[in-house]
Amino acid sequence: EGGREEPAGGGGGDAEDCPESSELEDDTEGLSTRLSGTLSFTSHEDEDEEEEEEGDGASEELEEPPQAPGAAAGTEDGGRCWGGELGGLGWFQGHSCGGGVRQPDRCQSPVPTEGTDTPLPAEWVSAAERPGGSLLTRQLQELWRRSRGSLAPQRLLFEVTSASVVSERSSKYVLYTIYLIRSGQFDKAPATIARRYSDFEQLNRRLRCRFSCDMASVAFPRKRLRRNFTAETIAKRSRAFEQFLSHLHSIDEIRRSPEFLEFFFLPDLQAAQRLTCTGMYREALATWANAYRLQDRLGVCNSGRFLLTLAGLAVCHQELDQLSEAHGCCEQALQLLEAQGSHPLLGPFLQAHVHLAWKVGKDKRRSEARLQDLREAGLPLQQQPSLKECLIKEPLE
């Protein structure tokens, strides 16, 4: 049990490089609620399972440590997540996912830790600091109701909705399914990702290399030597991953970084490209659509990756004879390219839009005029690749 943690990928680095302690403390009530319905868990493992997760070297088996400062920090995009901060006062804001509502979680700390930067209402602080002063639940609820109007709502929530143990020939791991949810909205088709512990660990290490100061207060759950596949461990770890992603999203520089963004949608783009190249257009369409939703939730709808996603959607819709949908994707892309005089995808999108507009009986004069401008500017449109060729040749790394 005293072994050192082996980094993913065989890289160096000691355990003290970062405060990796965000697995929940004694959270019996919240844990039982999660296991009873808010987290779908699939496993055929024995509770005494001692096989090591991910097939890596042995790592430290930790007692449940106290939460590091900032571990419960929530999403901060013009507002703050009060879920982690109010947990010590007796309840969390519930939020919905897939029709279900998270029940209140609890933790033991009476007030937020000193390292957190979210201020509490003055009434709470003064009452909590009085000698022997402890607020009754009814008083706290009343203060909470009065202060709710001053709290900016969260804009993006991360919800681990299911976890399953996957056994492969050389390894066994837990695959976590995560929903990206806009606060206060219902998504008919939610944006989802499925990631394993090693994916989170790789993201954590990449961000610590680039944002060492910002990541100092971000906690990450350690691996365990035993009981990696029990429902209790997976439920605690799923909550830790939610806190981890919420804290990352609350930091402006990290939220906009390629490392953070591509953790969510790059695997989908790569999978969709492979499916498109092999002619599996229906499966590719679903994957492109999920990549579209992920980029939309993360607010990166003006990037080159998003234009490539629109190209993938247009190609797959066209191959499946869904011409109106393909035409709509081309129109959206051309709106994004409106202010750009030259772009590798501008010519292919214009040509595809003209062809689809003719097919579905829509106005194509504007696109034809823009194509004429490109010809006059000396662009050899006859040598331009088609939208599908651009899509297949685009390197996604």
Side-chain angles (χ1 to χ4, degrees):
E1 295 184 3
R4 306 291 293 180
E5 180 182 11
E6 290 291 331
D14 294 331
E16 60 267 19
D17 288 345
C18 55
E20 299 181 308
S21 56
S22 67
E23 294 200 50
L24 300 186
E25 298 182 33
D26 187 10
D27 187 20
T28 307
E29 183 171 340
L31 180 62
S32 61
T33 300
R34 228 177 145 70
L35 292 174
S36 66
T38 60
L39 174 67
S40 173
F41 173 61
T42 305
S43 175
H44 302 290
E45 299 302 320
D46 221 346
E47 286 203 2
D48 295 327
E49 175 63 60
E50 298 186 4
E51 182 177 347
E52 182 197 356
E53 184 176 2
E54 306 288 347
D56 294 343
S59 58
E60 296 180 11
E61 171 70 13
L62 299 181
E63 300 295 331
E64 297 301 330
Q67 270 192 313
T75 305
E76 183 177 331
D77 189 359
R80 297 188 184 278
C81 173
W82 283 80
E85 304 298 343
L86 297 182
L89 298 172
W91 63 89
F92 279 69
Q93 264 186 295
H95 57 273
S96 63
C97 176
V101 177
R102 165 84 60 83
Q103 298 299 319
D105 293 336
R106 299 190 179 183
C107 60
Q108 295 178 341
S109 173
V111 292
T113 56
E114 190 174 339
T116 57
D117 59 356
T118 303
L120 283 174
E123 302 98 316
W124 297 0
V125 176
S126 60
E129 290 179 350
R130 285 199 301 267
S134 59
L135 293 175
L136 298 176
T137 301
R138 188 177 304 170
Q139 293 173 300
L140 287 171
Q141 290 173 340
E142 179 61 28
L143 289 171
W144 168 242
R145 278 194 293 269
R146 293 209 306 256
S147 66
R148 285 183 71 180
S150 65
L151 300 181
Q154 293 174 292
R155 296 187 181 181
L156 190 63
L157 305 171
F158 302 91
E159 180 84 11
V160 178
T161 59
S162 65
S164 57
V165 176
V166 179
S167 296
E168 293 181 347
R169 187 170 51 185
S170 58
S171 65
K172 180 165 62 176
Y173 56 89
V174 180
L175 194 65
Y176 299 87
T177 299
I178 303 165
Y179 278 33
L180 279 67
I181 307 165
R182 285 196 182 113
S183 180
Q185 298 185 15
F186 175 73
D187 292 323
K188 293 181 179 179
T192 65
I193 60 173
R195 300 289 182 270
R196 52 193 288 184
Y197 182 96
S198 60
D199 297 324
F200 285 101
E201 187 178 40
Q202 182 182 24
L203 173 65
N204 179 54
R205 293 187 181 280
R206 291 180 67 191
L207 291 176
R208 288 190 189 280
C209 288
R210 183 176 173 188
F211 305 101
S212 56
C213 293
D214 290 325
M215 292 290 293
S217 63
V218 179
F220 186 78
R222 285 193 184 277
K223 284 186 180 179
R224 291 169 168 264
L225 181 63
R226 297 176 299 175
R227 301 176 66 83
N228 278 299
F229 305 104
T230 63
E232 180 181 359
T233 297
I234 292 172
K236 288 183 178 180
R237 201 165 270 182
S238 69
R239 176 62 176 147
F241 286 144
E242 291 171 352
Q243 294 174 344
F244 174 67
L245 294 176
S246 293
H247 198 165
L248 294 180
H249 190 263
S250 72
I251 303 171
D252 288 344
E253 289 188 1
I254 293 179
R255 182 172 64 242
R256 301 187 184 102
S257 67
E259 292 87 352
F260 179 74
L261 293 171
E262 291 181 354
F263 168 80
F264 291 94
F265 58 78
L266 184 58
D268 270 22
L269 294 181
Q270 293 170 332
Q273 187 185 50
R274 288 193 299 269
L275 291 168
T276 305
C277 291
T278 56
M280 302 176 69
Y281 299 112
R282 195 167 300 279
E283 294 82 357
L285 180 61
T287 311
W288 287 118
N290 190 60
Y292 178 100
R293 291 190 293 269
L294 288 169
Q295 292 171 85
D296 178 55
R297 304 296 185 276
L298 294 165
V300 286
C301 293
N302 56 352
S303 65
R305 302 288 200 197
F306 191 70
L307 286 171
L308 188 70
T309 305
L310 288 172
L313 288 169
V315 168
C316 290
H317 279 305
Q318 185 173 0
E319 294 291 342
L320 295 170
D321 290 328
Q322 299 168 359
L323 302 184
S324 295
E325 290 83 354
H327 177 264
C329 293
C330 290
E331 282 202 329
Q332 186 177 355
L334 291 175
Q335 288 174 4
L336 294 174
L337 293 167
E338 184 74 31
Q340 300 191 34
S342 62
H343 189 280
L345 289 174
L346 178 58
F349 266 121
L350 284 171
Q351 291 177 326
H353 184 259
V354 169
H355 174 72
L356 289 166
W358 178 78
K359 287 275 189 180
V360 298
K362 300 286 186 180
D363 186 6
K364 61 184 188 302
R365 288 173 295 179
R366 181 172 177 78
S367 293
E368 288 175 333
R370 293 182 71 182
L371 279 172
Q372 183 61 34
D373 292 340
L374 292 178
R375 290 191 187 94
E376 293 175 357
L379 184 67
L381 293 178
Q382 291 79 7
Q383 301 174 12
Q384 285 280 297
S386 67
L387 205 57
K388 186 175 181 180
E389 289 171 340
C390 290
L391 184 68
I392 292 174
K393 294 177 181 178
E394 178 69 20
L396 289 173
E397 300 175 356

